[in-house]
Amino acid sequence: MKMIYVNIRSIREDNDVTQQEMAKLLNVSQNTYSQYETGKIEWTASTLIKVADYFNVSVDYLLDRTEKK
């Protein structure tokens, strides 16, 4: 089942961060990062934590489980 989390892409775009910049932060290729965002591959817990820390939001926010950042 494809899991696409809207808040992950939204917060990246709202902060003017490119997929390439996120890929570098996560030590993956831009293509791999794109696949995370489109739900082709699943996010790992450690990857979600890195993204949450980078944007200073909760993992629950990234996973669309809350609107509270």
Side-chain angles (χ1 to χ4, degrees), residues 1-45:
M1 175 186 214
K2 255 186 173 181
M3 296 301 295
I4 300 172
Y5 303 106
V6 175
N7 285 345
I8 294 174
R9 182 175 181 173
S10 294
I11 199 165
R12 178 181 62 76
E13 290 177 342
D14 290 349
N15 285 277
D16 296 321
V17 177
T18 65
Q19 284 188 348
Q20 185 64 42
E21 291 168 318
M22 291 305 298
K24 187 174 181 179
L25 170 77
L26 301 174
N27 252 354
V28 298
S29 69
Q30 184 275 325
N31 184 54
T32 298
Y33 183 80
S34 175
Q35 289 180 28
Y36 279 136
E37 271 195 7
T38 58
K40 290 181 181 161
I41 55 177
E42 288 190 36
W43 293 87
T44 63

